[in-house]
Each structure stands twice: as C-alpha cells, then as structure tokens.
C-alpha cells in the first residue's frame, strides 16, 4: 500500500492533508511531518495542511489557509483520524481522491486508498514507514523539519515510550529520527512543560478523584472548576494521563464540562475501554479513548460501565 500511495502522490500537483479535531501531537506530527516530507521531495507541488489551529500545539507549527477552490482536482490525505465525523475541515470531500493513513481500528473505512495498521504506535510511525518506502523506491530524503514532527507524534502517542503500543520497531524508528539535527530538549519542553494554572488543576484532580476497590476511577472537572483555575477544556488534554500514577488504578475517566457537552477521556492500564467509548459516541485505542456525554446523568452511566469493566477483571 505504501507504494500505491507514493504512486498516487506523484500524480497530483495539489495535495491537502487533514487530521482530526481536538488535535494531539500525533495528529499534528503525522500531518505536518507528511507535509514537510512531500514539500522537500516534490518542491514543484503545492502541499497544504488543513484544519483549525490549536494553541496548545504552537510548538509544532501551524496549519495553512485553504481556499474552497484548492480542493478542485486535489489529492486529500487524512492522517490519524478513525472516522469521518472527526476529520477537521469537512471540505475534505471536495478532493478528487482520498487517502486514509491511520492506526486506529478501521470501523469507518472511508477513502479510496486505506493504509491502516492498528499495530503501529502512532500515525507518525506510519508516515515514517511511508518515507522509508519512498527512500528505497524514489530516493526520498527526510528533512529535519519532518523528522522533528514525526518524533513528536511518536513520543506523544506512546507516552514517551511508556505505553504498551511501543514496539521494537518504534524504538528503531525513533533512533533513526533523532539522527536529524533538531533540539529534542526544546521539543520535550514544548510538549510537557505546564503553566502553573494547569499544575494547580492537576492538584485538584489528585485531591478529588474517586476510585473503587477494583481500580476504576473518575474525576469531574466542571465549568466552574475550569473558570476557577482559568484553564480551557482543550488545555486539560495535558493532564489526561496524570491519574495513571496512582497505585492500584486500572482504568480512569476524566470528565471535562463544556457549554453544550461533556468531554469523556478514558485511559487504562489493562482493561480494554474503547468499546465503552463507542457506547457513548466515541472510540479510540484499547487503552486510550474518548467519547461525549450530554448530561451528568449520562456521565454517571459511563462511570457505572467503567466499574463493571474493571470488576470483570478483578
């Protein structure tokens, strides 16, 4: 499939790359990493990164301004996005052909060409493998700008290589990427340094989470709490893994209230939780998923189900 994708890329002068809404480092890393990779090897082509910018990703880069007319006769590539509802910028349908590159379960098999590998640690890892094929077949080179993005995506989705998705291949690819001359220390600081207000909210989470005897835990961050700590719902993404440090915890859910919905962020150290996410209009990886609730009563049902899942593995 990598060869087919490369052959398709060669056929188009306009390529627009999308990723998912509420982006994380792998969304930006795979999208911008692919953009910089293609720009370097095909300077005659026009490569655009679509989507609304998230300020928490300033350290990685910015998407481009994309006009409606840019989609005419274009190749659209969507990275790190399992289903069409989560594609940032729904104008993607205006492209002539669509390629999906993703490492989530392929529940929504959209696109004309699909490169899906649930064994990959990240979509950024998959983009590197696309580069490796291009290097062998077309003499592609990997610019430092692309290597930095792909490395950020990999360490983001592996939790700095701590998550079970990390494989021997992941370490090998990371080793290749750090041969490029980018400042890893500055990149790590951009990804993991937090403002004082976020650290204060993290303290609130540690003080207020509830955990049952089977290791199922939850914490609720209401609009009032967000306002008190002057933190946005988007900024809380940096805190999702915090409760994983608690001894005896198997799986946890963090609820973040917004004006019209409640974000449901699920994480696990063992029990599979993406099925639970699907029950509440979401999805994701077996150990890291997201969903949406539309009332605190619905959020309580998420808690009940999470407790049942952890109890079944007690």
């Amino acid at each position: 499939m990598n060869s087919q994708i490369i052959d398709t890329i060669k056929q188009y002068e306009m390529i627009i790359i999308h990723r998912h809404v509420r982006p994380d480092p792998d969304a930006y890393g795979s999208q911008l990493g692919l953009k910089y990779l293609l720009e370097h090897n095909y300077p005659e082509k026009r490569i655009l990164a679509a989507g609304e910018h998230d300020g928490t990703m300033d350290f990685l880069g910015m998407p481009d301004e994309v006009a409606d007319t840019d989609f005419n006769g274009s190749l659209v590539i969507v990275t790190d996005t399992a289903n069409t509802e989560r594609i940032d910028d729904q104008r993607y349908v205006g492209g002539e052909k669509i390629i999906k590159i993703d490492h989530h379960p392929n529940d929504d098999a959209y696109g004309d060409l699909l490169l899906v590998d649930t064994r990959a640690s990240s979509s950024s890892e998959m983009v590197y493998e696309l580069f490796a094929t291009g290097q062998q077949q077309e003499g592609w080179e990997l610019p430092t700008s692309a290597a930095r993005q792909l490395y950020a995506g990999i360490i983001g989705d592996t939790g700095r290589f701590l998550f079970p998705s990390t494989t021997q291949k992941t370490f090998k690819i990371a080793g290749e990427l750090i041969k490029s001359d980018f400042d890893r220390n500055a990149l790590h600081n951009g990804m993991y340094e937090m403002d004082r207000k976020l650290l204060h909210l993290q303290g609130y989470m540690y003080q207020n989470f509830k955990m049952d005897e089977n290791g199922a835990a939850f914490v609720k961050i209401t609009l009032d709490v967000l306002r008190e700590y002057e933190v946005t719902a988007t900024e809380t993404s940096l805190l999702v893994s915090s409760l994983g440090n608690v001894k005896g915890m198997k799986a946890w859910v963090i609820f973040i209230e917004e004006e019209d919905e409640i974000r449901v962020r699920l994480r696990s150290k063992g029990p599979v939780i993406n099925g639970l996410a699907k029950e509440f209009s979401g999805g994701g990886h077996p150990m890291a998923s997201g969903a949406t609730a539309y009332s605190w009563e619905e959020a309580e049902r998420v808690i009940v189900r999470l407790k049942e899942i952890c109890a079944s593995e007690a």
Side-chain angles (χ1 to χ4, degrees), residues 21-96:
V21 297
R22 298 175 181 171
D24 56 12
D26 189 34
Y28 264 64
S30 58
Q31 180 194 36
L32 295 180
L34 181 58
K35 170 185 162 71
Y36 299 152
L37 174 65
L38 296 183
E39 283 181 334
H40 180 83
N41 291 286
Y42 301 102
E44 74 283 1
K45 297 183 185 295
R46 189 164 176 232
I47 319 291
L48 299 176
E52 184 177 348
H53 180 56
D54 187 319
T56 63
M57 298 289 125
D58 282 346
F59 66 95
L60 284 178
M62 295 276 292
D64 300 300
E65 293 289 335
V66 185
D68 292 346
T69 54
D70 290 329
F71 288 90
N72 297 336
S74 69
L75 172 64
V76 168
I77 304 176
V78 185
T79 69
D80 199 40
T81 310
N83 51 65
T84 55
E85 291 82 4
R86 298 200 72 224
I87 298 175
D88 195 338
D89 194 337
Q90 290 289 305
R91 294 179 297 168
Y92 78 93
V93 295
E96 185 175 277

Side-chain angles (χ1 to χ4, degrees), residues 236-253:
T236 63
S237 63
L238 295 171
L239 304 176
V240 178
S241 298
S242 298
L243 296 183
N245 298 324
V246 178
K247 186 176 181 179
M249 189 171 294
K250 288 184 181 178
W252 62 100
V253 56

Side-chain angles (χ1 to χ4, degrees), residues 153-174:
I154 289 172
I155 63 172
D157 254 27
T158 62
R160 288 179 277 191
F161 308 111
L162 293 176
F163 298 162
S165 59
T166 308
T167 64
Q168 184 177 3
K169 180 193 291 185
T170 308
F171 282 115
K172 183 177 179 180
I173 290 173

Side-chain angles (χ1 to χ4, degrees), residues 195-219:
D195 289 337
R196 182 178 298 181
K197 62 183 183 179
L198 271 174
L199 291 171
H200 289 167
L201 180 59
Q202 187 178 51
Y204 172 89
M205 290 168 57
Y206 283 136
Q207 288 182 320
N208 290 276
F209 78 89
K210 308 294 182 184
M211 183 171 73
D212 71 6
E213 67 277 8
N214 296 312
F218 68 91
V219 64

Side-chain angles (χ1 to χ4, degrees), residues 120-230:
S121 71
S122 56
S123 294
S124 295
E125 180 178 305
M126 296 176 67
V127 172
Y128 179 87
E129 292 190 284
L130 180 68
F131 154 71
T133 302
Q135 182 183 44
Q136 183 179 28
Q137 295 182 0
E138 304 290 335
W140 281 10
E141 297 175 345
L142 183 70
T144 298
S145 57
R148 180 179 183 271
Q149 295 289 336
L150 299 180
Y151 181 77
I154 289 172
I155 63 172
D157 254 27
T158 62
R160 288 179 277 191
F161 308 111
L162 293 176
F163 298 162
S165 59
T166 308
T167 64
Q168 184 177 3
K169 180 193 291 185
T170 308
F171 282 115
K172 183 177 179 180
I173 290 173
E176 292 297 319
L177 290 171
I178 63 174
K179 291 178 182 179
S180 295
D181 187 24
F182 61 87
D183 189 336
R184 274 185 287 155
N185 188 53
L187 179 61
H188 293 158
N189 289 343
M191 293 182 72
Y192 296 108
E193 281 187 344
M194 285 189 251
D195 289 337
R196 182 178 298 181
K197 62 183 183 179
L198 271 174
L199 291 171
H200 289 167
L201 180 59
Q202 187 178 51
Y204 172 89
M205 290 168 57
Y206 283 136
Q207 288 182 320
N208 290 276
F209 78 89
K210 308 294 182 184
M211 183 171 73
D212 71 6
E213 67 277 8
N214 296 312
F218 68 91
V219 64
K220 298 176 181 179
I221 302 177
T222 65
L223 275 171
D224 288 342
V225 171
L226 289 174
R227 290 166 182 151
E228 178 184 350
Y229 288 91
E230 300 180 339

